Amino acid sequence: MRLFNLFQSIRSLSAQTLTLIGGLFFVVVFTASFMNTSQLLQNPLLAAGGILVTLSLILAASWLLGRRLSAKGYLLALMAVSLLTRLGWILWIDTPPDSDFLFMYHAAQLAAAGDFSFNQDEYFLSWVYQFGFTMYEAGMIKLFGEAALFMLKLVNVLFSTATVLLIYYAALELFNEHTARIAGMLYALYIPTIIMCSVLTNQHWSTFFFTLGCLLIINKRFEKSYGWLLIGLAFGLANLMRPLSLVYIAGFIAFLLLFRLFKAKSDECRTAELPIGKLSTGILVRAAGVLLIFYMVQSLASFALVQSGASQYPLSNREPYWKFVVGLNAETDGRWSLEDGKYVLQFKLGEERDAAELALIKERLSDPIAVASLFARKLTVFWGEEDSAVMWSLKDMNRLELAAALKIAERFLFTAMSAAGVYSLYSLWRSRFALQQKASYMLFLILLLGYAFVQLWIEIQARYRLDLLPCFILLQSYGMYLMQSKLPARRKIKLDSLQ
């Protein structure tokens, strides 16, 4: 009984603490987003009005559609809207590759022709992990020829649309049908997820597979014989395109230890019929299986890359300190720095450059007060500033009015979602929801908070928010649902029983 109480106490304290921190995080995001929106419009009252109208439209639309459509009908309509808006955008807006996306696309064209001379470029020598997405593009170019650019964008559309479906089912698993409808609708209509489909970014593929892995973790597939294989495979494929495995693997392990393993230990201690260690051993074995499959995918891809002669190095980051150098630059608030780039290029890639970058990092960490101030600014800048999707999608197209309208609409919606996130986490904390249920939403909260922590240290760009947007939307969607349930027309409707 003492062990049972101990495991329950650890689980309870972890859930309450993390939920409270999550609520405070959403408060910061809402405040920063509201200030940014006010600055963009140069009128705080107009910003507040726009956010309230947006929030009202979301609640009204989800309520009306919820009454008119069955679950199957709603899902079909949701997928149709998601697909058509994204397809319409790439047909209307022909975004040319730019910046790193252009560099990788040119490399992919060479690779498709059998020329791997680009592997000696500083870019690919430093960040060998970029070969994953580059070789994917090369395969598409070889398969579709001149139509490859459009086909790459079409695949973006398909992955983004499929992610809407995953978010719907994840919210259904976490909360209830109404919350699932809201979550799916918000991801489907959030402007950056639509307009980034015309950009050759690796985020669509990785977001889909990382979200798929998370969905498999929170449902019963993880407990079945081969569920762990699918999770490891999903995480492995996602990481080949975009190396975010540190966040997802660490979040997976933390969630497993705090909320699956301790619950299993509690059940073992409480139930005499269960052999001590049976449940917990099964969880640890499946977790080890996930990690094994993940690293097998990475190893096989690296082996194929080296054996084919495309690269002399396996998929890896051969300049691991660069992101920290930029991220700890107080003068740029952690954004990319041309001066830092020029400085480190003086040193030979490898031990010499690593030593120079480490020295620069130590220098920038020497003043704890300055570092704390930098972290505070980065938190508000990264999570509060306007999304850069408009810039990436409409760059140099001279569509100023369209760009301005999209920016304002994105600000209204993101800030409204942030407000819902505050209410959601407060309600979850107050009701001790994680203690009454299987605490699956904690996986997404751990991932979101872990990602926010990592971003304090490394280079930030507004588009990086999209990587954890599914977690953000899933957590705030429950707040939207609670708001909707308090509408006058819904007061007589009994809330769905939470799963």
Side-chain angles (χ1 to χ4, degrees):
M1 185 57 70
R2 287 182 179 179
L3 284 176
F4 171 75
N5 291 333
L6 175 62
F7 293 134
Q8 283 291 82
S9 297
I10 293 174
R11 188 168 176 266
S12 172
L13 181 61
S14 300
Q16 290 297 95
T17 302
L18 286 170
T19 304
L20 178 60
I21 294 173
L24 295 174
F25 167 78
F26 272 100
V27 168
V28 172
V29 175
F30 169 73
T31 304
S33 299
F34 179 77
M35 292 176 64
N36 177 265
T37 307
S38 300
Q39 185 178 16
L40 182 66
L41 296 174
Q42 299 182 340
N43 189 326
L45 292 177
L46 184 59
I51 294 164
L52 285 173
V53 169
T54 301
L55 189 58
S56 300
L57 288 174
I58 294 169
L59 298 176
S62 59
W63 178 72
L64 288 172
L65 292 173
R67 291 185 64 193
R68 302 280 181 183
L69 297 175
S70 64
K72 185 177 180 180
Y74 186 91
L75 195 55
L76 289 174
L78 181 66
M79 298 307 293
V81 169
S82 303
L83 180 63
L84 292 175
T85 52
R86 286 156 174 75
L87 182 60
W89 181 264
I90 67 169
L91 291 172
W92 182 31
I93 302 295
D94 184 19
T95 304
D98 189 54
S99 188
D100 285 13
F101 308 133
L102 177 60
F103 192 82
M104 284 189 282
Y105 187 68
H106 280 165
Q109 290 176 313
L110 292 174
D115 180 1
F116 295 102
S117 58
F118 63 88
N119 63 17
Q120 295 303 308
D121 291 339
E122 186 81 16
Y123 184 86
F124 285 102
L125 287 173
S126 298
W127 301 296
V128 192
Y129 59 77
Q130 298 287 31
F131 265 93
F133 187 66
T134 302
M135 297 306 290
Y136 154 68
E137 289 187 316
M140 293 290 284
I141 291 170
K142 201 161 187 176
L143 188 60
F144 294 103
E146 295 182 359
L149 186 59
F150 175 77
M151 293 305 297
L152 284 166
K153 295 177 181 181
L154 181 60
V155 172
N156 287 349
V157 169
L158 298 177
F159 271 123
S160 184
T161 301
T163 304
V164 174
L165 185 65
L166 295 181
I167 288 173
Y168 172 89
Y169 279 114
L172 185 63
E173 185 75 25
L174 295 175
F175 302 113
N176 53 48
E177 170 67 27
H178 292 297
T179 307
R181 294 186 181 200
I182 293 170
M185 180 182 70
L186 289 175
Y187 194 86
L189 298 180
Y190 184 57
I191 288 169
T193 66
I194 298 172
I195 67 179
M196 282 297 282
C197 287
S198 65
V199 180
L200 297 189
T201 174
N202 52 8
Q203 291 171 284
H204 303 289
W205 173 303
S206 66
T207 299
F208 171 81
F209 279 107
F210 276 129
T211 306
L212 175 60
C214 291
L215 176 58
L216 294 171
I217 291 169
I218 64 174
N219 71 15
K220 294 180 180 179
R221 292 184 187 276
F222 179 74
E223 300 172 2
K224 294 188 177 181
S225 300
Y226 299 104
W228 55 268
L229 191 154
L230 297 175
I231 297 167
L233 184 61
F235 279 2
L237 291 173
N239 200 67
L240 290 181
M241 296 296 110
R242 190 162 177 78
L244 292 174
S245 61
L246 174 63
V247 172
Y248 279 89
I249 295 297
F252 166 64
I253 293 173
F255 171 73
L256 216 62
L257 291 176
L258 292 173
F259 299 101
R260 285 283 176 85
L261 188 62
F262 284 142
K263 184 178 186 301
K265 285 291 185 182
S266 298
D267 292 342
E268 290 167 358
C269 295
R270 182 180 55 189
T271 308
E273 298 176 357
L274 289 173
I276 297 297
K278 182 178 180 180
L279 290 177
S280 54
T281 300
I283 288 175
L284 292 176
V285 169
R286 288 191 292 273
V290 170
L291 299 180
L292 176 64
I293 295 299
F294 170 80
Y295 285 110
M296 282 182 61
V297 171
Q298 306 306 302
S299 298
L300 287 173
S302 293
F303 179 78
L305 188 67
V306 174
Q307 289 300 308
S308 67
S311 172
Q312 56 185 313
Y313 302 104
L315 294 170
S316 59
N317 183 356
R318 298 186 62 237
E319 193 175 349
Y321 303 113
W322 166 248
K323 288 286 186 179
F324 294 93
V325 168
V326 178
L328 294 171
N329 188 332
E331 294 181 1
T332 62
D333 287 338
R335 296 184 180 92
W336 186 80
S337 168
L338 178 61
E339 290 72 20
D340 283 343
K342 289 180 178 179
Y343 174 75
V344 302
L345 283 176
Q346 301 176 81
F347 305 95
K348 185 179 179 181
L349 181 65
E351 293 183 2
E352 184 179 343
R353 186 176 299 177
D354 288 348
E357 291 179 345
L358 271 174
L360 197 55
I361 291 170
K362 290 178 181 178
E363 178 185 335
R364 290 175 176 177
L365 289 173
S366 61
D367 186 347
I369 296 177
V371 172
S373 176
L374 172 63
F375 283 178
R377 294 197 306 275
K378 288 184 69 177
L379 185 65
T380 56
V381 167
F382 182 73
W383 295 100
E385 71 177 3
E386 63 193 62
D387 197 278
S388 59
V390 173
M391 183 274 290
W392 287 111
S393 189
L394 295 176
K395 190 174 183 180
D396 301 325
M397 289 191 180
N398 196 30
R399 294 176 176 267
L400 301 181
E401 292 183 359
L402 176 61
L406 292 174
K407 285 181 181 180
I408 293 171
E410 184 276 330
R411 287 289 76 200
F412 284 163
L413 182 52
F414 187 81
T415 311
M417 290 193 297
S418 303
V422 175
Y423 186 45
S424 176
L425 270 293
Y426 169 73
S427 300
L428 291 169
W429 174 78
R430 187 178 179 184
S431 65
R432 294 177 176 266
F433 181 76
L435 306 181
Q436 300 165 10
Q437 308 295 326
K438 57 186 177 181
S440 293
Y441 82 86
M442 295 304 301
L443 171 64
F444 298 95
L445 181 56
I446 290 170
L447 289 172
L448 186 61
L449 294 178
Y451 188 70
F453 177 76
V454 169
Q455 292 299 321
L456 295 178
W457 297 86
I458 65 173
E459 176 194 359
I460 59 173
Q461 290 187 35
R463 73 180 178 91
Y464 294 167
R465 279 203 306 257
L466 294 177
D467 294 318
L468 270 290
L469 185 66
C471 296
F472 186 93
I473 284 182
L474 284 169
L475 290 168
Q476 66 79 42
S477 62
Y478 183 60
M480 290 279 188
Y481 161 70
L482 291 176
M483 291 179 186
Q484 187 192 83
S485 68
K486 294 182 183 298
L487 294 175
R490 289 289 305 277
R491 285 178 183 170
K492 296 181 180 180
I493 299 178
K494 185 178 180 180
L495 300 184
D496 296 300
S497 58
L498 299 179
Q499 298 178 13

Short mmCIF file of all heavy atoms in Angstrom, two decimals, residues 51-61:
data_model
loop_
_atom_site.label_atom_id
_atom_site.label_comp_id
_atom_site.label_asym_id
_atom_site.label_seq_id
_atom_site.Cartn_x
_atom_site.Cartn_y
_atom_site.Cartn_z
N ILE A 51 -10.31 39.67 -32.17
CA ILE A 51 -10.10 38.37 -31.50
C ILE A 51 -11.42 37.83 -30.98
O ILE A 51 -11.72 36.63 -31.12
CB ILE A 51 -9.06 38.53 -30.37
CG1 ILE A 51 -7.69 38.87 -30.96
CG2 ILE A 51 -8.99 37.24 -29.54
CD1 ILE A 51 -6.71 39.40 -29.95
N LEU A 52 -12.24 38.69 -30.38
CA LEU A 52 -13.53 38.26 -29.86
C LEU A 52 -14.46 37.79 -30.97
O LEU A 52 -15.18 36.81 -30.83
CB LEU A 52 -14.17 39.40 -29.07
CG LEU A 52 -13.57 39.68 -27.69
CD1 LEU A 52 -14.19 40.94 -27.08
CD2 LEU A 52 -13.78 38.49 -26.76
N VAL A 53 -14.46 38.54 -32.08
CA VAL A 53 -15.29 38.15 -33.23
C VAL A 53 -14.84 36.79 -33.77
O VAL A 53 -15.66 35.91 -34.08
CB VAL A 53 -15.24 39.22 -34.33
CG1 VAL A 53 -15.87 38.69 -35.62
CG2 VAL A 53 -15.95 40.48 -33.88
N THR A 54 -13.52 36.61 -33.88
CA THR A 54 -12.97 35.35 -34.37
C THR A 54 -13.37 34.19 -33.46
O THR A 54 -13.80 33.13 -33.93
CB THR A 54 -11.44 35.42 -34.47
OG1 THR A 54 -11.07 36.48 -35.35
CG2 THR A 54 -10.86 34.11 -34.98
N LEU A 55 -13.23 34.41 -32.16
CA LEU A 55 -13.60 33.38 -31.19
C LEU A 55 -15.08 33.04 -31.28
O LEU A 55 -15.48 31.87 -31.25
CB LEU A 55 -13.24 33.86 -29.78
CG LEU A 55 -13.35 32.85 -28.64
CD1 LEU A 55 -12.47 31.63 -28.91
CD2 LEU A 55 -12.95 33.51 -27.32
N SER A 56 -15.90 34.08 -31.45
CA SER A 56 -17.35 33.86 -31.56
C SER A 56 -17.70 33.08 -32.82
O SER A 56 -18.57 32.20 -32.80
CB SER A 56 -18.08 35.22 -31.58
OG SER A 56 -17.83 35.94 -30.39
N LEU A 57 -17.02 33.40 -33.92
CA LEU A 57 -17.27 32.69 -35.18
C LEU A 57 -16.89 31.21 -35.07
O LEU A 57 -17.60 30.34 -35.59
CB LEU A 57 -16.49 33.36 -36.31
CG LEU A 57 -17.00 34.72 -36.78
CD1 LEU A 57 -16.04 35.33 -37.81
CD2 LEU A 57 -18.41 34.60 -37.38
N ILE A 58 -15.77 30.94 -34.40
CA ILE A 58 -15.34 29.54 -34.22
C ILE A 58 -16.40 28.78 -33.43
O ILE A 58 -16.81 27.68 -33.81
CB ILE A 58 -13.99 29.48 -33.49
CG1 ILE A 58 -12.88 30.09 -34.34
CG2 ILE A 58 -13.64 28.03 -33.14
CD1 ILE A 58 -11.58 30.30 -33.59
N LEU A 59 -16.85 29.37 -32.32
CA LEU A 59 -17.82 28.69 -31.46
C LEU A 59 -19.16 28.50 -32.17
O LEU A 59 -19.78 27.44 -32.09
CB LEU A 59 -18.01 29.49 -30.17
CG LEU A 59 -16.77 29.64 -29.29
CD1 LEU A 59 -17.07 30.53 -28.08
CD2 LEU A 59 -16.26 28.29 -28.83
N ALA A 60 -19.57 29.54 -32.90
CA ALA A 60 -20.85 29.45 -33.60
C ALA A 60 -20.79 28.42 -34.73
O ALA A 60 -21.71 27.61 -34.91
CB ALA A 60 -21.22 30.82 -34.16
N ALA A 61 -19.70 28.45 -35.49
CA ALA A 61 -19.57 27.51 -36.61
C ALA A 61 -19.52 26.07 -36.13
O ALA A 61 -20.20 25.19 -36.69
CB ALA A 61 -18.31 27.83 -37.41
#
